Amino acid sequence: MEVSIYGSLAWIVVLGAIAQWVGWKLKIPAILLLLGAGFLVGPVCGFLDPDEVLGDLLFPIVSAAVAIILFEGGLTLKFSDLRESGLTIVRLVSLGVVVTWALVFVMAKTLLGFDVMLSALFAALLTVTGPTVIGPMLRTIRPRGKVKYMAKWEGILNDPIGVILAVLVFEVLIAGHGAKGGEIIIMGLLKTVAIGIGLAGISGGLLLGLVKVKLLPEFLHNFVVLALLLGAFGVSNHLQEESGLLTVTLFGVILANQRLLDVRHISAFKENLQIMLISMLFILLAARVDPKTVDAINWGSMLFLAGLILIVRPAAVLVSTIGSGTNWKERVLLMMLAPRGIVAVALTSLFTLKLENAGVPEAANMMAVMLLVVVGTVGFYGLLAAPMSFRLGLSNPDPQGVLFVGAHDWAISMATELNKIGGDVVLIDSNRFHVHRARRQELIAHSGNVFSEEFLEELDFSNIGHAVALTANDEVNAFAQTTLHDYIERADIYHLLPEKQTNPQDNQAKKMNPLFSDEATYSFFEKQLAAGATFEHITLRENFDMAAFDEEYGARAMLLFCIGEEGEVRIFSAKTKITPKEGSTLLFLKLAVEPE
């Protein structure tokens, strides 16, 4: 039965969603499942032929999707990240790229049997490190210090740099300019950079100008930004082939570092779009693989993969970090953060097709080796980077610390009691006097606003796995779930119920993650503590279980936190049920009067 274009795309999206969910559930990189799914429905079973379904639209769609992905990456690049690690980042995307290109060129020629120009092209394609896989890895690892900034900037900037390099090498290869090849590459680079900076500046200036003069309503922000980035991408590529990826990346960087427009809603929209695009692209491109090229997977290609991981990446990191102040632990972790992703696969697929049409049949082997590299690097780094980071003391795989939004008197008392029983606590408050008092109690506290993206970027979230919003402002408490979800899972962000109870049928009420109980409002705690209520803790034992606790305290206690024997923190909520086990320590508010 023939399936329509819509039908094919629909079940590709469904298959992508399933792969993403299974990856999340099993805690394995979803890219491996997406590639497996694409290979299964394509060359293995013959259910999907992307070229037949999309025809000439396939690669324009792939290019536009990659542009959106890189723009979203650019939106995460803040110049403030460069304060401590700017030198290393510059070296990684310059010296690191050169070292990678040179070493991969030698290995491609000797181990894969490619000729000189094909080796140069394949080496250029492998200078990219894939923000689509580094981003999720960094969110999982949550490394301390400079590593996360270095890896993030490198992963995003290397993509357009590697693409431009590959395109210029391809032009030399396909045109056979010989001795003039170096001149072509240098002039191409200069032209690409000039076009990228110019169009990114025009696009950013136009958008911010419309916002400043109030000619662009908020509901059109996402649509206009999408139109501008695709327009700039198209014009850039028209002026210089494949220069559009640099243009859209710089456009994202410009928006990320201006103060006129809050880009959080734009970033959230693009992030959701990115997940769908990545899922579709990996399935589509894996489905294009010619089964005959599997012969390219042999001992030579396996040694090539091993050399890429064990020789090329360590060499690139060592050369890039000499004299930079980066310690050996950070260097080792950087060596574990070089997976290849969708850009490498997409460009390899495109160049393979062009070279085959130009009469270079051995180019088909590039795609098979590239898929091996993606699977191998994502599998190796994805599975080993997190435990290695933990062994190096640079991250915590299961952070249990609690972020307190609000450092007023009773929040400090609650945090102090939680700290006594082994809970890691960090408090933030915009009131410097509150912060000073918290520090006098030997608590970690920072002065800043939960609405400030720059402030949150500066916070160390490596040990924080939960957040509780305890301020007197109901809007601040509710909004904390929006501002903090980039750093903490939304299900682990709680806030006090508003003073005026929201109708339970309202959509907003359903999104709430209310703290402690249905009575737990700011004024409730104020009244209780003024009347003599106290924060206390008790450990459950064989002779004093939960039933005994209920019998002794009953309605005179409001349960707040439960600390397990292994240090795991669970927070009591009006929407969830916790059954504390023997050995758990309960933090509770011993009420002065029973709640009405």
Side-chain angles (χ1 to χ4, degrees):
M1 181 177 68
E2 187 174 343
V3 182
S4 66
I5 294 178
Y6 171 79
S8 298
L9 293 177
W11 65 259
I12 288 171
V13 172
V14 172
L15 196 59
I18 293 172
Q20 290 280 2
W21 181 84
V22 172
W24 166 79
K25 192 68 176 176
L26 299 181
K27 298 187 183 303
I28 60 175
I31 286 175
L32 300 180
L33 299 173
L34 292 167
L35 286 174
F39 196 72
L40 182 64
V41 300
V44 174
C45 299
F47 294 149
L48 175 65
D49 183 349
D51 293 283
E52 183 180 332
V53 172
L54 295 174
D56 293 338
L57 289 176
L58 176 61
F59 284 103
I61 290 174
V62 170
S63 296
V66 171
I68 293 171
I69 291 168
L70 286 186
F71 171 77
E72 196 277 332
L75 281 176
T76 69
L77 298 181
K78 300 293 182 65
F79 291 142
S80 58
D81 298 345
L82 300 176
R83 292 172 189 166
E84 297 182 358
S85 52
L87 176 61
T88 306
I89 291 170
V90 171
R91 288 179 173 180
L92 283 169
V93 298
S94 54
L95 287 175
V97 168
V98 172
V99 169
T100 300
W101 188 22
L103 291 178
V104 174
F105 168 78
V106 173
M107 293 198 312
K109 193 171 186 304
T110 56
L111 296 175
L112 300 179
F114 293 166
D115 64 27
V116 172
M117 290 308 299
L118 202 60
S119 296
L121 175 61
F122 197 54
L125 289 167
L126 283 171
T127 57
V128 302
T129 52
T132 57
V133 278
I134 283 182
M137 283 177 64
L138 290 176
R139 283 195 292 272
T140 300
I141 299 170
R142 297 210 274 190
R144 301 186 183 97
K146 301 178 290 185
V147 175
K148 62 180 178 181
Y149 302 122
M150 291 187 287
K152 181 175 69 172
W153 275 81
E154 181 197 14
I156 294 170
L157 291 182
N158 264 2
D159 266 9
I161 291 172
V163 168
I164 293 164
L165 184 60
V167 169
L168 296 174
V169 171
F170 174 78
E171 286 185 2
V172 175
L173 171 63
I174 207 71
H177 286 285
K180 293 185 178 180
E183 181 182 344
I184 292 173
I185 290 177
I186 292 173
M187 294 304 297
L189 282 173
L190 292 175
K191 185 177 178 182
T192 298
V193 170
I195 291 171
I197 293 174
L199 287 177
I202 292 170
S203 301
L206 178 60
L207 175 67
L208 296 176
L210 291 173
V211 171
K212 187 173 183 179
V213 297
K214 299 181 179 180
L215 287 178
L216 186 64
E218 186 172 345
F219 77 91
L220 284 178
H221 284 180
N222 285 327
F223 178 67
V224 171
V225 168
L226 184 62
L228 281 172
L229 85 88
L230 291 177
F233 177 70
V235 172
S236 185
N237 281 345
H238 177 72
L239 296 175
Q240 174 72 12
E241 187 175 6
E242 299 301 338
S243 65
L245 295 182
L246 178 64
T247 299
V248 297
T249 303
L250 293 177
F251 182 27
V253 173
I254 289 172
L255 294 188
N257 291 279
Q258 50 77 41
R259 296 179 179 274
L260 181 63
L261 174 66
D262 186 350
V263 297
R264 278 178 299 196
H265 61 299
I266 297 172
S267 183
F269 168 70
K270 295 295 185 295
E271 185 178 355
N272 293 331
L273 187 60
Q274 180 199 66
I275 293 173
M276 184 186 73
L277 292 175
I278 290 172
S279 301
M280 294 182 66
L281 290 181
F282 271 113
I283 292 173
L284 282 169
L285 295 176
R288 288 192 74 252
V289 176
D290 186 345
K292 297 177 183 178
T293 61
V294 175
D295 293 339
I297 307 301
N298 50 36
W299 283 109
S301 57
M302 297 301 289
L303 288 173
F304 178 84
L305 173 62
L308 199 63
I309 295 173
L310 301 177
I311 298 174
V312 176
R313 180 59 179 177
V317 170
L318 288 175
V319 170
S320 302
T321 55
I322 292 174
S324 65
T326 307
N327 62 48
W328 72 269
K329 292 183 178 181
E330 293 170 333
R331 288 176 179 175
V332 170
L333 185 53
L334 269 178
M335 293 175 189
M336 299 293 293
L337 294 172
R340 270 56 177 188
I342 190 61
V343 176
V345 174
L347 264 293
T348 303
S349 186
L350 175 62
F351 287 139
T352 296
L353 180 63
K354 288 185 176 182
L355 287 172
E356 285 179 327
N357 291 337
V360 188
E362 60 270 24
N365 293 335
M366 285 200 310
M367 190 62 190
V369 178
M370 180 59 78
L371 286 176
L372 173 67
V373 167
V374 170
V375 172
T377 56
V378 170
F380 181 84
Y381 297 127
L383 296 176
L384 296 182
M388 177 63 75
S389 179
F390 178 59
R391 290 290 295 272
L392 293 171
L394 293 176
S395 68
N396 185 342
D398 186 22
Q400 294 295 320
V402 182
L403 177 69
F404 277 57
V405 180
H408 44 75
D409 286 341
W410 62 262
I412 291 174
S413 299
M414 184 189 295
T416 302
E417 195 69 20
L418 181 58
N419 195 245
K420 286 180 184 176
I421 59 178
D424 290 330
V425 180
V426 175
L427 298 93
I428 60 173
D429 199 304
S430 57
N431 188 316
R432 293 183 180 274
F433 179 63
H434 289 171
V435 171
H436 178 67
R437 282 192 302 185
R439 290 174 178 170
R440 288 176 58 186
Q441 297 295 320
E442 299 184 350
L443 295 169
I444 299 173
H446 302 281
S447 177
N449 196 315
V450 74
F451 289 94
S452 171
E453 192 173 352
E454 288 186 18
F455 169 68
L456 294 178
E457 285 282 348
E458 294 297 318
L459 274 182
D460 181 5
F461 281 89
S462 57
N463 283 327
I464 297 174
H466 312 272
V468 291
L470 306 172
T471 75
N473 190 318
D474 294 332
E475 292 182 359
V476 171
N477 292 339
F479 200 67
Q481 285 189 309
T482 301
T483 59
L484 294 174
H485 87 274
D486 285 336
Y487 312 94
I488 304 172
E489 290 288 336
R490 193 181 294 273
D492 293 316
I493 305 172
Y494 301 81
H495 62 83
L496 293 174
L497 281 171
E499 296 297 333
K500 294 181 180 180
Q501 289 290 340
T502 308
N503 185 334
Q505 300 302 318
D506 289 347
N507 289 332
Q508 190 60 35
K510 294 176 183 178
K511 295 177 183 178
M512 290 180 178
N513 210 359
L515 267 171
F516 311 137
S517 78
D518 291 326
E519 293 84 27
T521 64
Y522 184 88
S523 62
F524 171 86
F525 278 95
E526 288 275 287
K527 292 174 183 176
Q528 283 290 328
L529 290 161
T534 56
F535 293 108
E536 300 185 9
H537 68 270
I538 195 166
T539 301
L540 300 180
R541 300 296 181 194
E542 185 177 355
N543 59 351
F544 189 84
D545 58 10
M546 200 63 208
F549 178 88
D550 290 335
E551 184 178 345
E552 179 168 337
Y553 292 98
R556 294 185 299 108
M558 176 181 287
L559 293 167
L560 309 176
F561 297 90
C562 176
I563 311 294
E565 286 187 291
E566 302 297 324
E568 64 275 15
V569 175
R570 289 181 292 173
I571 301 173
F572 286 92
S573 168
K575 283 190 174 182
T576 58
K577 181 176 177 58
I578 296 175
T579 305
K581 299 178 181 179
E582 181 181 330
S584 298
T585 301
L586 302 177
L587 171 58
F588 61 97
L589 178 68
K590 185 177 179 182
L591 305 177
V593 293
E594 292 188 9
E596 298 179 2

